[in-house]
């Protein structure tokens, strides 16, 4: 049965939040604020937060740099997952993925469908792993960020969550690079 095993310790992880937007600033970044509050409220470490424009190179470069930082275990982006010409976050980051996480998108859409119905198909939320770092690409609305955190990430980033979670496999994400 899924749930929290109180006998296991909570292990905080380092998280970076990237808002992708041509118009938002730190003063009006509600989605970034939503994610930051949830990261802090659960006891994780906010290691970095930034805003970049809807530019594939800028998005890729920032996320790649964070995946190379040993203090960052998880990168969460918000924005740029729609279908307009400027929505390029999946295109920027999927080439970085060593492994895709198709299940993240599927579960996100299931949760989102319960709240916004068929409008969920307008998001190309995705996830993957690069440089032993989890990457989650979320839509730019605060509601979508709440849905992803509350419905998926909060549990999977908690070592106490059973029967399994992302934290317990983090030490093994780069084991393919350590073989002789």
């Amino acid at each position: 049965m899924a749930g929290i095993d109180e006998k296991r310790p909570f292990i905080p992880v380092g998280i970076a939040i990237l808002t992708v937007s041509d118009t938002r600033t730190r003063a009006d970044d509600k989605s970034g604020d939503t994610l930051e509050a949830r990261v802090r409220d659960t006891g994780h470490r906010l290691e970095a937060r930034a805003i970049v424009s809807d530019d594939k190179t800028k998005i890729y470069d920032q996320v790649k740099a964070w995946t190379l930082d040993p203090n960052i275990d998880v990168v969460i982006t918000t924005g740029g997952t729609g279908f307009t010409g400027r929505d390029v976050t999946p295109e920027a980051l999927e080439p970085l993925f060593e492994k895709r996480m198709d299940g993240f998108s599927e579960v996100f859409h299931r949760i989102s469908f319960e709240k916004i119905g068929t409008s969920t198909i307008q998001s190309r939320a995705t996830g993957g792993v690069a440089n032993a770092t989890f990457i989650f690409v979320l839509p730019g609305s605060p509601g979508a960020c709440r849905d992803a955190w509350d419905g998926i990430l909060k549990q999977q980033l908690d070592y106490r969550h059973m029967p399994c979670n992302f934290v317990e496999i983090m030490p093994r994400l780069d084991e393919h690079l350590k073989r002789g």
Side-chain angles (χ1 to χ4, degrees):
M1 179 95 102
I4 299 295
D5 181 350
E6 296 293 345
K7 292 181 237 127
R8 297 181 86 171
F10 178 79
I11 300 173
V13 299
I15 300 175
I17 298 169
L18 180 65
T19 298
V20 177
S21 175
D22 288 333
T23 59
R24 290 195 187 136
T25 66
R26 191 65 187 257
D28 65 359
D29 180 15
K30 292 181 177 144
S31 295
D33 290 344
T34 296
L35 289 167
E36 180 175 344
R38 280 165 164 71
V39 165
R40 292 186 188 282
D41 288 349
T42 54
H44 294 296
R45 301 181 320 273
L46 180 67
E47 295 290 340
R49 183 171 168 191
I51 298 174
V52 299
S53 61
D54 293 276
D55 176 277
K56 284 198 286 190
T57 301
K58 290 178 183 176
I59 298 164
Y60 178 93
D61 289 347
Q62 180 63 74
V63 172
K64 183 173 182 182
W66 282 344
T67 68
L68 298 173
D69 183 330
N71 295 315
I72 296 174
D73 304 298
V74 177
V75 174
I76 304 171
T77 73
T78 174
T81 66
F83 289 98
T84 70
R86 298 292 294 160
D87 292 324
V88 296
T89 307
E91 288 80 8
L93 296 179
E94 286 176 347
L96 184 61
F97 293 170
E98 296 158 8
K99 296 187 181 206
R100 288 181 50 103
M101 190 183 307
D102 295 327
F104 175 79
S105 179
E106 293 167 8
V107 173
F108 173 80
H109 284 295
R110 184 186 58 77
I111 292 167
S112 182
F113 181 80
E114 293 171 8
K115 298 186 178 177
I116 64 169
T118 60
S119 294
T120 190
I121 65 172
Q122 293 189 32
S123 164
R124 296 178 301 134
T126 188
V129 176
N131 298 316
T133 305
F134 286 105
I135 301 168
F136 302 100
V137 179
L138 308 181
S141 75
C145 291
R146 281 191 299 273
D147 290 347
W149 184 270
D150 297 348
I152 305 169
L153 299 177
K154 181 179 178 182
Q155 293 83 22
Q156 283 298 299
L157 295 176
D158 190 331
Y159 178 70
R160 303 168 301 168
H161 186 277
M162 299 304 286
C164 57
N165 58 76
F166 292 144
V167 178
E168 65 190 354
I169 64 171
M170 283 179 179
R172 298 184 56 208
L173 292 177
D174 63 353
E175 67 188 2
H176 64 289
L177 301 174
K178 298 176 183 175
R179 293 187 183 140

